[in-house]
Amino acid sequence: MSRRVHVLLAVLWSAAVVAALSAQAASPPDARIDDLIASMSVEEKLGQLQQLAGGAEGNYLPEQAELARKGLLGSVLNVRGAERVNTLQRMAMESRLKIPILFAFDVIHGYRTVFPIPLGESASWDPAAAERSAAIAAREAGAVGLKWTFAPMVDIARDPRWGRISEGAGEDTFLGIAFARARVRGFQGDDISRPDRVAACTKHFVGYGAAEGGRDYNTTDISEQVLREVYLPPFKAGIDAGAVTVMSAFNDLNGVPTSANPFTLTTILRGEWKFDGVVVSDYESVSQLVNHRIAAGDADAARQALTAGVDMEMVSRTYVTHGAELLKRGAWTMAQVDEAVRRILRLKTRLGLFERPYADPALEKTTLLTPEHARAAREIAARSMVLLKNEPGVLPLSKDTRSIAVIGPLGDDPVNMMGNWIGDGRKEDVVTLVAGLKAAAPAAHVTFAKGCDITGTSREGFDEAVRVARAADVVVLAIGEGEIMSGEAASRATLDLPGGQLDLVKAVVGAGRPVVAVLFNGRPLAIGDLVDAVPSVVEAWFPGTQGGAAISDVLFGDVNPGGKLPATFPRAVGQVPIYYNHKSSGRPAAPDNRYTSKYVDMPVTPLFPFGFGLSYTSFTVTDLQLSASTIRRDGQLRASVALRNTGPRAGDEVVQLYIQDVASSVTRPVRELRGFERVSLAPGASRRVEFLLTPAQLGFHNRDMQFVVEPGAFKVWVGTSSVGGLEGSFTVTE
Ligand code: GLC
């Protein structure tokens, strides 16, 4: 074809596009999107399905600039900073079709202001706190040009060997639902196009936390009944709360990897839940289908993933590399590709990117780590802490204490204080435990001795630690895991205090001074020896930027700890998986009967149960009242108790309601959390705490996978942990 004809065609094509684009201005988003799709080349469509990763420090790569100029880059991960985002965005906005790039980053528990790790924040049993921190994270992320976070992680985790238990809300579905909703609302608000809101992403869909052996990325084999009862509901809750994206996962689920699983990605997500948002793969999880050995090569991986329902491919490039060929040979249809493109363009429309593609550099200077954000981080971190043990007279400490020795590898460690997935948190902003104590008790002489490393068995620092302990009025131990020991690719085969820390504890206790232990960890730990060795233990998780200040607030009693465990603490790793809402078995463990389900060398009970946490005051729960003794299965039941603060100081208690379906067509857990409320009471004050039980809380999936409420007897307990509580009962009739 002659050059002249080429030029003429190009002019005609561009005129057609300009006409289409100008017509779009007035037309509603979907029509505008359809027009846009109609004008896109195959290469441009495939480009929208691609997310590439920028540099870890936040800049884009030269190739990405090239792709942006050609309008061939749908999304980038890790690129942030208003100026850099705008520079790359401008290239896309000057491309032929002017389709904006979607900028994503893992803002998991804060961007510059780092909040407690999600497992820690979930220990607050205060979803409003999670919504508040997610909203602050979104505000800071938006200020640096981000419009998509890969959070909340809503995987239920019953195995603390799995390092990613740190990223979610623990072992219970009901608690997980509450935090999934709250975090989605916090990130997205009511209008994701606002500059202070970002698209949320419920991940990792689905069942990732059930990895065999607690080993990350490992196989999962989950019955459909357990999938629907335990692992799917927090995703549904996040989507019902408005989550506009979902991330598929790495794990093989019952023989079909979740990034190529039509049952989860299409039948459930699209068919049952009517989700119309975007599904993004996890990092190279599409190309990893070859490692799973269900794809003969990248082209087959691409074929399966898009067909199953993965719209956007993260980092691996099978879609853009093989898409044209797959279309040519009919392995993909253009309708499939167009539907994925449509979802992505619709998301960009909802985010307001077509109208406002650029970040405001001025916002970046005024939005990060403001005093308000720092205050929130300190308050939420303190609310996340769990008092595991406190012998009389130890905690809270007096601010008149003359000398305080902080001993342990996490006592003055700004990096580990934040945990992992810290966004752009900076160690120079962190308040360490030493700094927090000094600020809280300026008259006290605060000394520090590391004593030992987090891992390793060297005892070289022990003598110095013991000397420093002997010279102090009280010792605060700062021990636990390094942040690198939980999170992604951080499974552990043991759950002990790492390295020689327990030996350090015993040496320091031997110095004869009062000792308090502060624990920093990303998972439940088997810390029975530690608990036996010291009179007081505070679970601080990885508390974030304001961690040291928050811990000091708790140690001095400025905040009375009210957190509760979101996951069971085992006595030993050999008990794992161990979780409160387990089944009865045909031979429930009975101490006096050998032939029952138990161990010969250890009790079956945990070290600390789900929902457990102490306080500096005391509470009573009395007078359980049920609104009826019988309800129809479409009825409702109110349960209430009287909560009283019977101790010397104001404090919070988390009142928890559990049910048991006494006999059902499918075996049910011995207990299931179905209500909770964190209540603050002054000394001597009391109030009634009320819960509403509806069919949604009483039902389950039967053998035919139908959600049903079956007639029969139910037990109910209301208390302050998953053990004990006031017991009642009621009957459900037809
Ligand atoms: C990682 C994680 C996922 C994260 C993504 C992007 O491998 O599995 O949680 O959002 O890649 O960083």
Side-chain angles (χ1 to χ4, degrees):
M1 194 181 293
S2 76
R3 176 167 169 62
R4 183 188 298 275
V5 172
H6 260 297
V7 170
L8 178 60
L9 281 177
V11 168
L12 289 173
W13 177 287
S14 300
V17 165
V18 168
L21 286 173
S22 55
Q24 282 168 9
S27 56
D30 271 0
R32 203 169 48 185
I33 289 170
D34 290 341
D35 292 346
L36 197 47
I37 291 173
S39 61
M40 292 170 79
S41 67
V42 167
E43 194 185 23
E44 286 163 331
K45 290 179 182 178
L46 297 177
Q48 285 303 308
L49 310 187
Q50 177 77 69
Q51 178 181 76
L52 293 178
E57 80 300 330
N59 210 342
Y60 55 82
L61 306 178
E63 180 207 19
Q64 291 154 11
E66 201 46 46
L67 290 169
R69 287 191 191 93
K70 296 174 182 172
L72 300 180
L73 184 54
S75 176
V76 284
L77 165 64
N78 293 337
V79 175
R80 65 248 188 225
E83 294 296 349
R84 286 193 289 228
V85 163
N86 289 346
T87 303
L88 188 62
Q89 188 70 295
R90 196 161 293 109
M91 297 174 197
M93 298 311 286
E94 289 167 357
S95 69
R96 188 173 78 83
L97 292 173
K98 303 176 175 35
I99 298 175
I101 293 170
L102 178 49
F103 290 86
F105 189 48
D106 289 285
V107 183
I108 308 300
H109 52 109
Y111 174 74
R112 175 60 47 78
T113 306
V114 179
F115 293 88
I117 55 169
L119 184 67
E121 189 179 67
S122 304
S124 70
W125 288 54
D126 180 4
E131 183 169 350
R132 181 184 178 197
S133 71
I136 290 171
R139 193 176 307 144
E140 295 192 351
V144 296
L146 297 166
K147 283 305 291 178
W148 189 13
T149 180
F150 295 134
M153 183 272 217
V154 300
D155 299 305
I156 295 300
R158 293 171 153 174
D159 187 333
R161 294 173 294 178
W162 189 53
R164 304 200 77 168
I165 191 172
S166 63
E167 300 175 43
E171 72 186 42
D172 179 72
T173 301
F174 189 83
L175 190 68
I177 286 170
F179 277 90
R181 284 195 191 114
R183 287 170 172 146
V184 167
R185 279 197 304 260
F187 285 124
Q188 296 192 167
D190 298 327
D191 175 2
I192 57 175
S193 72
R194 287 169 43 129
D196 62 347
R197 296 294 184 182
V198 293
C201 182
T202 53
K203 71 182 187 183
H204 308 77
F205 194 68
V206 62
Y208 182 35
E212 270 183 16
R215 200 149 38 88
D216 202 4
Y217 314 123
N218 203 8
T219 298
T220 63
D221 200 294
I222 307 172
S223 71
E224 185 178 345
Q225 219 260 346
V226 171
L227 205 53
R228 290 183 179 280
E229 290 291 300
V230 176
Y231 295 100
L232 284 168
F235 286 92
K236 180 71 167 51
I239 288 166
D240 289 346
V244 289
T245 73
V246 168
M247 182 186 293
S248 68
F250 290 122
N251 55 298
D252 172 2
L253 173 62
N254 305 335
V256 183
T258 50
S259 290
N261 193 311
F263 175 61
T264 53
L265 291 170
T266 297
T267 305
I268 292 179
L269 191 59
R270 305 289 183 186
E272 293 179 17
W273 297 356
K274 310 300 180 211
F275 177 64
D276 72 348
V278 169
V279 172
V280 62
S281 78
D282 202 339
Y283 203 103
E284 298 181 333
S285 65
V286 172
S287 59
Q288 286 164 15
L289 297 175
V290 178
N291 297 341
H292 281 289
R293 302 202 339 271
I294 62 145
D298 280 354
D300 195 27
R303 176 187 64 77
Q304 293 189 55
L306 184 83
T307 302
V310 174
D311 301 308
M312 182 179 280
E313 181 175 11
M314 185 191 293
V315 177
S316 55
R317 304 189 188 201
T318 68
Y319 285 18
V320 292
T321 305
H322 300 285
E325 166 216 337
L326 290 165
L327 283 165
K328 194 179 298 178
R329 63 183 170 88
W332 278 356
T333 66
M334 189 59 80
Q336 280 174 307
V337 171
D338 287 352
E339 183 53 27
V341 173
R342 181 172 293 106
R343 290 169 181 152
I344 291 162
L345 295 181
R346 189 159 55 219
L347 174 60
K348 293 181 177 182
T349 302
R350 287 175 175 170
L351 286 165
L353 284 173
F354 282 95
E355 288 74 28
R356 293 183 305 283
Y358 301 112
D360 174 359
L363 269 183
E364 193 167 337
K365 297 178 177 61
T366 58
T367 307
L368 306 186
L369 197 59
T370 63
E372 175 212 345
H373 295 178
R375 250 190 325 277
R378 181 169 179 168
E379 290 167 10
I380 292 168
R383 287 179 76 78
S384 302
M385 289 177 196
V386 183
L387 183 62
L388 295 176
K389 179 180 181 182
N390 188 32
E391 288 180 3
V394 179
L395 285 177
L397 303 176
S398 161
K399 287 189 180 176
D400 300 331
T401 305
R402 274 182 324 103
S403 63
I404 300 171
V406 177
I407 293 175
L410 289 146
D412 204 19
D413 178 337
V415 172
N416 282 305
M417 203 56 53
M418 294 187 279
N420 51 52
W421 291 117
I422 59 171
D424 272 335
R426 298 181 311 193
K427 64 180 184 179
E428 55 267 30
D429 296 326
V430 168
V431 179
T432 66
L433 178 51
V434 166
L437 290 169
K438 286 181 175 175
H445 176 50
V446 178
T447 56
F448 171 61
K450 190 177 174 187
C452 66
D453 292 328
I454 292 171
T455 55
T457 53
S458 165
R459 300 170 63 105
E460 279 179 23
F462 279 29
D463 291 348
E464 164 70 3
V466 171
R467 191 187 61 73
V468 168
R470 279 211 185 93
D473 294 331
V474 68
V475 174
V476 177
L477 285 166
I479 50 179
E481 295 181 314
E483 59 83 12
I484 197 70
M485 301 174 77
S486 59
E488 182 172 358
S491 297
R492 290 185 63 193
T494 71
L495 296 174
D496 305 325
L497 269 182
Q501 294 183 62
L502 187 58
D503 292 340
L504 174 69
V505 170
K506 290 173 180 171
V508 167
V509 166
R513 313 304 298 157
V515 176
V516 172
V518 178
L519 204 52
F520 299 90
N521 44 304
R523 57 162 54 82
L525 293 177
I527 47 168
D529 291 341
L530 167 70
V531 173
D532 291 344
V534 300
S536 294
V537 181
V538 174
E539 172 58 79
W541 313 104
F542 290 114
T545 307
Q546 285 288 317
I551 296 168
S552 302
D553 290 342
V554 167
L555 293 182
F556 287 114
D558 293 331
V559 171
N560 183 352
K564 300 285 185 177
L565 294 180
T568 301
F569 274 48
R571 295 175 190 276
V573 69
Q575 289 184 312
V576 170
I578 180 171
Y579 46 94
Y580 86 94
N581 48 353
H582 60 81
K583 300 292 189 74
S584 298
S585 86
R587 295 194 173 194
D592 55 355
N593 179 343
R594 174 180 172 186
Y595 298 96
T596 58
S597 179
K598 61 185 191 299
Y599 303 104
V600 295
D601 55 359
M602 188 172 286
V604 291
T605 53
L607 181 67
F608 295 113
F610 173 81
F612 174 81
L614 300 174
S615 171
Y616 294 151
T617 187
S618 55
F619 293 91
T620 58
V621 176
T622 57
D623 188 19
L624 170 61
Q625 291 182 14
L626 302 182
S627 59
S629 57
T630 301
I631 60 168
R632 289 164 39 88
R633 59 176 160 179
D634 60 356
Q636 297 184 344
L637 182 87
R638 294 186 184 289
S640 71
V641 292
L643 176 72
R644 176 178 296 277
N645 180 342
T646 53
R649 61 173 62 226
D652 289 7
E653 180 56 274
V654 179
V655 182
Q656 302 158 47
L657 178 143
Y658 295 85
I659 65 165
Q660 180 192 81
D661 188 339
V662 172
S664 43
S665 63
V666 171
T667 56
R668 310 289 305 127
V670 293
R671 284 194 181 216
E672 295 178 272
L673 180 70
R674 285 295 180 267
F676 64 89
E677 184 178 348
R678 180 165 176 157
V679 180
S680 300
L681 286 178
S686 66
R687 59 161 272 208
R688 290 202 72 81
V689 182
E690 183 171 288
F691 301 98
L692 178 65
L693 282 175
T694 67
Q697 270 102 31
L698 299 178
F700 63 95
H701 289 83
N702 65 12
R703 298 182 195 182
D704 301 323
M705 290 308 125
Q706 295 154 342
F707 187 82
V708 296
V709 177
E710 290 183 341
F714 280 78
K715 287 183 181 174
V716 56
W717 295 270
V718 181
T720 57
S721 92
S722 60
V723 174
L726 294 180
E727 181 173 337
S729 61
F730 61 94
T731 304
V732 172
T733 61
E734 284 299 339

